[in-house]
Amino acid sequence: MATVGIGAHFFKKSLNDYRDWKWAVPREAMQNSIDAPHSKNIEAWCETKDGNTVFSWGNDGDPMSKEELVGKLLTLGESGKDFQGTVGGFGAAKLVLLFAHINYTIYSGHYYVTGSGGNYTLEEREHYYPGTLTKVTIEGDVSGVLISNLVQFFYMAQWHGTVKINGQIFEAGLNKGSRRREFDWGVVYTNKTFMNRLVVRIHGIPMFYRYVDSNKRCVVVELKSGDASVLQSNRDSLKSEYQQQLDAFIDELTVNKISALRDVEPAYIHYDGKKLLNQHIKADETMREIVAEVQAALSDKAKERANEVVAEDQKANINQPIKMTTQKGRQSIISHEFIVKNTTDMDIPIHYLPSDFSSYSKRLVRVWVASLLTLHKLFNKEASFSVGFIFDEESREAEFENGVYGSVYYINPIKIVKQDNSNSRSMAKRWKFTSAGRWAILADALHEFTHGAIGIHGHDELFSSTLTEMTGVVLNKRQTFNSCFV
């Protein structure tokens, strides 16, 4: 019976199946080396020879047997991995890695392969190579791009072996970071290693990456399946149903970075009290009256009870209830309504709660309230609102929220400090009441005021131009705000 012939152009055209084959080649080469059983050391070299590129890579894992070489590696559609704890499994990578190029050689144990396209010879030799070494001649000079992509691959990977590229040692140490969100097929993490980059990985091995507007964070998506079954065979993207969810997540990330990265819903502590009210104020009313109202609101004589409340409409989505360091029955030292919003999994120190405010917390609330009331007066906005503290790990300095407690302007009193030598975290004061620090608080108040009182919720050109114009007004009236900082 005759068999279907495969011409040389078939292999070369397979490069078109990849979004960027110059990324796919080093990715597949390095992933194969990592997947080799007991592989601990990987080396790769790239050089230009006679106008073409010679790309070589090797590992010290277990060599391939003759059955693996002939029946798996050198047979189209076959794979020696079958998704069993390794990254590959489609049997398609050999096209872009070997068959699509000018020629290739493979040393593995006692076996030596030379080939071009679909033709090859296999020899068994006395010399033993302790691992697998592959050399591929690629048409044209693409050595610079391949080296760059090799480096990028290991910068985005998490693997505990040793890596050398053209003799230079690199670390594959991109830790996942902080867990943010979970899908059926993957878990989302963030870290600060790269700015605005999305990396999709399996077992710590990067499959593809792209730019995302992610608040200067690196977003790592680790596929949960533990194999490549949710990926297209070229591994440049996910299968349709999963890719649609990823694309929707990226769109959400662009519009609202915070909610897109949030998995567990925030927990709230509600301290009952009167709303802060700004009515149309007469022109001859002095700023001292505003400051007096704020100071009265922060009086130590206030006797309002703290009532710990988690919003009922958000309870259903809380996977792990957040522990709070307050108790029912403790008295608030402020008379107006105050909301504590916690988006972390950390306990809140009691000196950040109105029942036991420290001098730092008192002063921060006083400046925050005075700045907001002054902005409402300056721009003649009548409003009823509350203020609160938000505890957030993504370095949000402030937030406006219109929800179950009405309009609330939050300011973040802390920054999360992570220890270099452990996974421990602690809370440190975010704000300093220097001249620069006070005006930074005012700038955040103006930013959130633009969202809340002006009603521009996104961060588009309209928001930017409006905020710029309003900043000019504030700067021209900056003496008006001096009383906010007393």
Side-chain angles (χ1 to χ4, degrees), residues 29-45 57-64 107-108 129-134 159 162:
M30 296 304 99
Q31 170 256 300
N32 280 351
S33 295
I34 291 172
D35 280 350
H38 306 112
S39 176
K40 297 296 182 183
N41 296 279
I42 296 174
E43 290 196 54
W45 308 265
W57 66 94
N59 67 79
D60 63 350
D62 295 347
M64 287 182 281
Y107 304 83
S108 190
Y129 186 87
T132 300
L133 173 64
T134 306
W159 184 64
T162 301

Side-chain angles (χ1 to χ4, degrees), residues 364-372 387 398 409-411 441 444-445:
L364 180 59
V365 173
R366 184 166 60 245
V367 173
W368 184 242
V369 172
S371 298
L372 288 167
V387 297
Y409 291 90
Y410 294 100
I411 186 168
I441 295 172
D444 279 321

Side-chain angles (χ1 to χ4, degrees), residues 34 87 153-159 172-174 176 199-207 220-223:
I34 291 172
V87 176
F153 176 91
F154 283 110
Y155 279 160
M156 295 185 292
Q158 187 173 10
W159 184 64
L174 177 59
K176 291 178 290 189
V199 183
V200 177
R201 308 193 310 190
I202 306 176
H203 292 311
I205 306 305
M207 296 292 101
V220 178
V221 179
E222 286 283 353
L223 300 183

Side-chain angles (χ1 to χ4, degrees), residues 358-404:
S358 65
S359 58
Y360 166 80
S361 297
K362 287 182 185 179
R363 190 173 185 185
L364 180 59
V365 173
R366 184 166 60 245
V367 173
W368 184 242
V369 172
S371 298
L372 288 167
L373 286 172
T374 307
L375 287 170
H376 279 81
K377 175 191 175 183
L378 180 63
F379 292 99
N380 199 27
K381 289 293 181 180
E382 186 172 0
S384 174
F385 60 91
S386 301
V387 297
F389 279 166
I390 183 170
F391 294 83
D392 181 77
E393 198 165 1
E394 278 296 304
S395 297
R396 272 186 295 174
E397 295 177 347
E399 178 187 77
F400 170 77
E401 181 177 73
N402 190 16
V404 67

